[in-house]
Amino acid sequence: MMISYTNNLFFLVMLLGSFITMSSSSWFMAWIGMEINLMGFIPLISSHSNKRCSEASMKYFFIQSIASSIFLFSFLLSSSFFSIIQSISMTPWMTSSIMLLSLSVKLGASPFHMCLPTVSEGLSWFNCFILMTWQKIAPLSMISLINQKSFMILMIIYMSAISGSIGGLNQTSLRKIMAFSSISHMAWILASMLFSKTLWILYLLIYSILIFSIIYNFLFLNMFHINQIFTNQNKNFNMFIITNFLSLGGLPPFFGFLPKWLIITQLIQNNMMFMISILILSTLINLYFYTRISYSSILMYNNNNKWMKMKKSVPLTHSIMSMISLFGLILMSISFSML
């Protein structure tokens, strides 16, 4: 009981740190908020007494501490106290580039993305959900305040789209597949920041809903590898997982296609055809290994032995989340047409 109370306390500290960062009016307070968020999330990772959780917590703490130090160094260089150093050796473009690099490390975007799959492999499904959704909010809110159409942010978008899609091709661990999928989706979120301050919030909200529905299914069935999906004998769960995977990949007419449709429209209006090509190709690669999982789980024949216990019945929450993925785009299109 004491462990649950302490976990709730650290969870509230993590939320408080993110809110401080999002509501801060200075870079220093934003840095303090990120450190409070980090101090609240590390005990949640290491709450499980096994070697993988301890290793993941050490890796995450070490990498995030380096990113925080670089971020602190970058905005100190732009302050009035270091104006002499700034006028001699540093320019505003170099300062913002260093800041973007440190925030990309915290975000888990490419080229500093390799820590995210290794850390997520040692986490529980609940901590994976926090790592891939809530922990992205504070760095994204600060990136939205920096100069958007710089060369550095464009390179991060291109590299995240390519590395996130190619990295998930040869993976058998579901947690690593979700981590590489998160890296690929970060490219879409950063691309949406180029044109709108609110479009990336909509994309992150829809992405959080979809990834919650997938992780909830994996948590209920205690799945961690692809082979467990193949041998699962409850076809209803397989259909729910397949529907949410295809929606996460952005296949029309599923719900996940809606934010990508809006981003593609903005890119076409600004004549950024090269970025559209990279993002769409990376999405097709993501859909390839999503479809590979779905195809095998549907068509592979499983023997229903009499001595094997059947899985639990499908809860109502699974059906509701899958219906959101399936009919969300249709409902949103109808609501947009009525406005």
Side-chain angles (χ1 to χ4, degrees):
M1 187 65 67
M2 183 63 66
I3 295 177
S4 63
Y5 288 154
T6 55
N7 286 341
N8 293 332
L9 177 62
F10 288 128
F11 184 75
L12 293 176
V13 170
M14 181 191 68
L15 297 181
L16 177 63
S18 298
F19 285 127
I20 290 175
T21 301
M22 289 184 288
S23 60
S24 61
S25 59
S26 64
W27 292 116
F28 183 71
M29 287 302 299
W31 174 76
I32 290 178
M34 287 194 302
E35 294 306 303
I36 294 175
N37 174 267
L38 178 63
M39 292 299 103
F41 186 57
I42 291 296
L44 292 178
I45 299 177
S46 57
S47 60
H48 300 278
S49 58
N50 57 65
K51 293 183 179 180
R52 285 198 170 185
C53 291
S54 301
E55 181 183 357
S57 62
M58 289 300 295
K59 287 181 180 179
Y60 188 79
F61 176 75
F62 181 71
I63 294 169
Q64 295 294 313
S65 299
I66 293 176
S68 298
S69 302
I70 297 174
F71 181 79
L72 179 64
F73 174 74
S74 63
F75 75 77
L76 283 179
L77 287 177
S78 61
S79 63
S80 60
F81 183 75
F82 290 91
S83 59
I84 299 177
I85 300 177
Q86 181 184 1
S87 62
I88 295 175
S89 58
M90 300 292 291
T91 61
W93 179 84
M94 296 175 65
T95 304
S96 62
S97 299
I98 296 174
M99 194 175 294
L100 277 174
L101 288 177
S102 63
L103 291 175
S104 66
V105 175
K106 284 190 165 295
L107 192 62
S110 185
F112 309 102
H113 64 283
M114 292 310 297
C115 62
L116 185 63
T118 56
V119 169
S120 62
E121 183 65 20
L123 303 182
S124 63
W125 277 121
F126 177 72
N127 291 330
C128 279
F129 174 73
I130 296 176
L131 179 64
M132 297 174 192
T133 54
W134 184 261
Q135 293 300 100
K136 311 287 187 182
I137 296 178
L140 286 172
S141 63
M142 287 191 290
I143 290 176
S144 63
L145 302 176
I146 305 174
N147 183 20
Q148 295 300 311
K149 295 184 180 180
S150 62
F151 177 76
M152 183 65 65
I153 194 69
L154 294 178
M155 291 304 299
I156 292 175
I157 292 172
Y158 296 145
M159 296 178 68
S160 297
I162 295 172
S163 60
S165 57
I166 296 177
L169 285 175
N170 59 345
Q171 301 296 329
T172 59
S173 173
L174 293 174
R175 285 174 291 190
K176 284 189 175 181
I177 289 176
M178 300 304 295
F180 280 109
S181 175
S182 175
I183 296 169
S184 180
H185 282 280
M186 287 304 108
W188 286 89
I189 294 177
L190 293 175
S192 65
M193 285 185 182
L194 301 176
F195 314 106
S196 175
K197 298 292 184 180
T198 58
L199 184 56
W200 71 270
I201 300 176
L202 175 64
Y203 193 104
L204 184 62
L205 178 62
I206 295 176
Y207 169 74
S208 301
I209 293 173
L210 295 177
I211 199 173
F212 174 76
S213 60
I214 294 174
I215 288 179
Y216 187 64
N217 286 319
F218 290 156
L219 180 63
F220 186 81
L221 295 173
N222 198 22
M223 288 185 176
F224 296 98
H225 298 279
I226 294 180
N227 294 334
Q228 292 176 293
I229 300 179
F230 301 160
T231 57
N232 181 31
Q233 299 186 12
N234 195 325
K235 296 301 180 181
N236 292 326
F237 276 111
N238 287 340
M239 291 302 300
F240 291 160
I241 292 172
I242 291 164
T243 302
N244 293 316
F245 261 129
L246 296 179
S247 181
L248 184 65
L251 184 70
F254 295 102
F255 190 35
F257 176 68
L258 175 63
K260 295 185 178 181
W261 182 19
L262 298 175
I263 294 173
I264 290 173
T265 303
Q266 294 291 330
L267 291 173
I268 291 174
Q269 292 177 357
N270 290 270
N271 295 322
M272 303 184 71
M273 299 302 174
F274 182 73
M275 183 178 292
I276 293 175
S277 303
I278 296 296
L279 292 176
I280 291 178
L281 286 175
S282 66
T283 302
L284 291 176
I285 297 175
N286 287 334
L287 282 171
Y288 168 74
F289 58 80
Y290 291 160
T291 309
R292 182 184 63 182
I293 298 172
S294 307
Y295 180 81
S296 301
S297 61
I298 291 176
L299 298 184
M300 185 173 291
Y301 177 74
N302 295 325
N303 292 322
N304 294 324
N305 298 319
K306 293 182 179 180
W307 59 84
M308 294 183 65
K309 293 183 179 181
M310 298 300 294
K311 298 292 182 180
K312 299 178 181 179
S313 60
V314 180
L316 180 61
T317 52
H318 289 71
S319 303
I320 294 174
M321 298 302 295
S322 298
M323 291 303 104
I324 291 175
S325 299
L326 185 58
F327 297 109
L329 179 61
I330 300 173
L331 296 177
M332 293 296 290
S333 300
I334 295 173
S335 60
F336 285 160
S337 63
M338 295 176 62
L339 294 176

